[in-house]
Amino acid sequence: MKNLFLSAAIVLGGLTSFASTSPISTTIVKTVSIQDEYTEIKLEEVPAAITDALKKAYPDAVLSKAYKNTKSEYKLDVTVGDKVGSIYANADGSWIKK
């Protein structure tokens, strides 16, 4: 009988070690966003390669504003139907994903 109580105490003592709490660690993530400075340009200053690519990719699109940065990348504010968005292109008319 003494062994039975001793065995039960050992088993219960072993189970309580699994019920202990783990230490909580805090992780801090910092996000840095670098934006290229775009300056607004006239719609007439947009290269023909870009306007041709825009007409080919989005035939119903209306170009409302255009911007250019120091790397000769263009940001175009475009309206298609009731949706408004911005697309990016190089001077040669190839699209850039940003």
Side-chain angles (χ1 to χ4, degrees):
M1 192 70 164
K2 191 178 194 181
N3 288 338
L4 181 63
F5 287 122
L6 184 60
S7 298
I10 292 173
V11 169
L12 289 176
L15 291 176
T16 58
S17 66
F18 292 110
S20 66
T21 59
S22 301
I24 298 173
S25 63
T26 304
T27 304
I28 298 173
V29 177
K30 292 184 179 182
T31 305
V32 177
S33 177
I34 300 174
Q35 295 181 350
D36 293 329
E37 291 293 322
Y38 286 92
T39 55
E40 188 171 356
I41 61 172
K42 296 179 182 178
L43 297 179
E44 296 81 28
E45 296 177 21
V46 177
I50 294 176
T51 55
D52 292 342
L54 181 64
K55 288 178 187 176
K56 184 177 179 183
Y58 305 100
D60 297 332
V62 176
L63 182 60
S64 57
K65 288 186 182 180
Y67 305 89
K68 181 181 177 183
N69 67 5
T70 56
K71 297 186 240 177
S72 292
E73 295 175 341
Y74 292 84
K75 175 184 173 188
L76 309 171
D77 289 344
V78 179
T79 305
V80 179
D82 60 346
K83 296 183 181 182
V84 178
S86 296
I87 54 177
Y88 299 87
N90 285 331
D92 61 358
S94 59
W95 302 116
I96 304 171
K97 292 186 179 184
K98 288 197 176 194

